[in-house]
Amino acid sequence: MADEAAKTQSQGEFILYTTLRIIGVLASIYLFLMGLDMMGSSFLVLGGKGAGELFTITDNPITGLMVGILATVLVQSSSTSTSIVVGLVGAGQVSVGNAIPIIMGANMGTSVTNTIVSMAHAGERIELERAFSGATVHDMFNMLSVAVLLPEEAFQLESV
C-alpha cells in the first residue's frame, strides 16, 4: 500500500513537472516571437522609410551576401544579424527575396567568427590544429552551400 502511495505521488509530481516544462517552453516561444515583432516595429518607427532605402542596395544578391557577412562579423553573432533581418522583413523594409542572400551572408559571417575563435588556441599547437580544422570544415560547408544556392536564388530573382 505504501508503495502505491509513493508511486502515485511520483506520477503526480511527474505530471506537474512535465506540465510546467511545457508551459515554460510555450512561454519562451511566445516571448521570442513577441521580441521579434517588437524589433520589427522599432525598425519601422525609428528608421521609417529611410532605413528601408538603406537596404535597397541589397537588390543584387551578391551585395546582400556581402551585407550579411559584414553585419555578422561586426556583431559577432549570426543569430543577432538574422534576427535583425527577420525584423526588417516583418516591418516591410526588406523583401523576403532580398533577405535570403543576407541570411546566407550571415551564415558565411559565422565562418569568419569561428575562425577567429579557433585562434584562441594559438598557445597550444595540437589544440590550434584541431580547432582550426573544425572551423575550416564549417567554412567549407557554408561556402559550398552558398556556391550552390546563391546562383539559384539570383536566377529566381531575375525570373520574377
Side-chain angles (χ1 to χ4, degrees), residues 55-122:
F55 283 92
T56 57
I57 62 170
T58 61
D59 288 341
N60 183 347
I62 301 296
T63 307
L65 182 75
M66 295 303 153
V67 166
I69 292 172
L70 183 64
T72 303
V73 168
L74 289 176
V75 297
Q76 294 290 307
S77 170
S78 64
S79 300
T80 301
S81 57
T82 300
S83 296
I84 290 170
V85 172
V86 168
L88 288 170
V89 170
Q93 299 293 319
V94 176
S95 70
V96 174
N98 290 342
I100 292 171
I102 297 173
I103 291 178
M104 283 184 191
N107 288 335
M108 290 289 293
T110 303
S111 299
V112 175
T113 303
N114 69 22
T115 303
I116 292 170
V117 169
S118 73
M119 294 299 172
H121 298 281

Side-chain angles (χ1 to χ4, degrees), residues 12 19 26 29 36 47 64 67-68 72 77 102 106 111 115 117 120 126-127 132 137 142 147 150:
T19 304
L26 292 176
I29 291 172
L36 282 178
V67 166
T72 303
S77 170
I102 297 173
S111 299
T115 303
V117 169
I126 301 296
E127 286 182 17
F132 197 76
V137 168
N142 284 332
L150 188 65

